Amino acid sequence: DTGVSQNPRHKITKRGQNVTFRCDPISEHNRLYWYRQTLGQGPEFLTYFQNEAQLEKSRLLSDRFSAERPKGSFSTLEIQRTEQGDSAMYLCASSPRGTGGPDTQYFGPGTRLTVL
Amino acid sequence: AQTVTQSQPEMSVQEAETVTLSCTYDTSENNYYLFWYKQPPSRQMILVIRQEAYKQQNATENRFSVNFQKAAKSFSLKISDSQLGDTAMYFCAFLPGNGQNFVFGPGTRLSVLP
């Protein structure tokens, strides 16, 4: 068990550029989550996958954001035409499917995005 | 919509002492779960403790315990025998019983002083 990994750890981009982040969940975890965390705040839910199906999306996920999990393993989060307000830490988490009640979400180290 | 409030932006405690972090939440649901997560400086978030709303008994994990008051919608975290490694941001989080959408509070920055 190597934990949830995220790449890159840091990304600096210019306004208007597209960026893509990758999340590798703990193997055999079939649930995967994306969150955004701005400085001094708690994480905000963006979206959730069960296997390859995207089951829930927050209203925070504007049409410039898209997330995929094509084979039910790793996931990517793409932000198109980045804006300075997109600057944040993007966290990924995964959890196994439990038989009842929620399972613990295991978080990755995050990707810190800075939009200049 | 659910909201989670943590009224203490920052707290400090002497090593070996006990500290209590506050959390209140607002929901109309009866079935839900509550969590405390810890985020050490420059490190990833890890689960500290969780509580099912249908359970009356307060959860305990070693030096960490909660005081869950369902009627008051309060969920405080008590850390006993504080250690330097407890220095971190602590987030209270709410999860509805039928969803996967965590709602986190703004966090409390805890510093354990030697």
Side-chain angles (χ1 to χ4, degrees):
Chain A
D1 180 355
T2 57
V4 178
S5 62
Q6 292 186 246
N7 288 288
R9 295 290 307 276
H10 303 274
K11 178 70 176 178
I12 300 174
T13 190
K14 293 184 178 179
R15 189 177 54 186
Q17 298 295 305
N18 299 343
V19 294
T20 300
F21 311 139
R22 175 175 170 131
C23 171
D24 287 88
I26 294 171
S27 59
E28 299 182 357
H29 278 193
N30 62 352
R31 292 177 172 171
L32 187 147
Y33 311 78
W34 284 100
Y35 294 85
R36 183 177 72 183
Q37 185 178 22
T38 53
L39 203 62
Q41 298 297 319
E44 296 172 291
F45 172 82
L46 292 178
T47 190
Y48 149 63
F49 291 85
Q50 182 158 302
N51 298 314
E52 66 275 10
Q54 190 173 18
L55 297 185
E56 199 167 338
K57 289 184 353 179
S58 162
R59 55 181 166 77
L60 295 175
L61 213 65
S62 75
D63 56 5
R64 296 186 297 105
F65 288 68
S66 62
E68 294 182 345
R69 195 181 182 199
K71 297 182 180 179
S73 56
F74 72 92
S75 175
T76 58
L77 177 68
E78 181 184 16
I79 308 174
Q80 296 182 327
R81 305 181 304 281
T82 52
E83 302 173 355
Q84 287 183 326
D86 297 331
S87 294
M89 177 77 84
Y90 290 84
L91 297 172
C92 176
S94 70
S95 72
R97 182 174 183 178
T99 56
D103 286 287
T104 298
Q105 293 188 21
Y106 295 83
F107 282 81
T111 294
R112 182 169 296 285
L113 173 66
T114 302
V115 181
L116 302 177
Chain B
Q2 293 87 11
T3 58
V4 177
T5 302
Q6 294 178 250
S7 59
Q8 305 150 315
E10 292 189 29
M11 292 193 73
S12 61
V13 62
Q14 292 293 135
E15 199 175 1
E17 296 294 309
T18 295
V19 64
T20 299
L21 308 184
S22 301
C23 172
T24 57
Y25 58 95
D26 188 23
T27 184
S28 58
E29 302 201 18
N30 192 49
N31 181 28
Y32 53 87
Y33 304 85
L34 295 163
F35 302 78
W36 278 97
Y37 273 87
K38 165 185 176 180
Q39 189 174 39
S42 302
R43 293 178 60 190
Q44 55 215 74
M45 291 222 297
I46 55 175
L47 177 70
V48 175
I49 198 165
R50 59 181 271 178
Q51 173 83 39
E52 290 84 352
Y54 62 84
K55 288 187 177 179
Q56 293 185 336
Q57 186 172 7
N58 289 323
T60 299
E61 286 287 343
N62 301 314
R63 298 183 295 106
F64 299 89
S65 61
V66 298
N67 183 3
F68 174 47
Q69 302 289 329
K70 191 172 183 179
K73 296 180 181 174
S74 171
F75 183 61
S76 61
L77 173 69
K78 185 171 84 170
I79 306 175
S80 304
D81 185 26
S82 298
Q83 301 176 0
L84 296 178
D86 296 333
T87 292
M89 282 290 287
Y90 286 81
F91 294 99
C92 179
F94 173 100
L95 183 68
N98 61 353
Q100 295 294 326
N101 180 355
F102 264 104
V103 178
F104 283 86
T108 295
R109 183 178 304 279
L110 177 67
S111 299
V112 180
L113 308 174

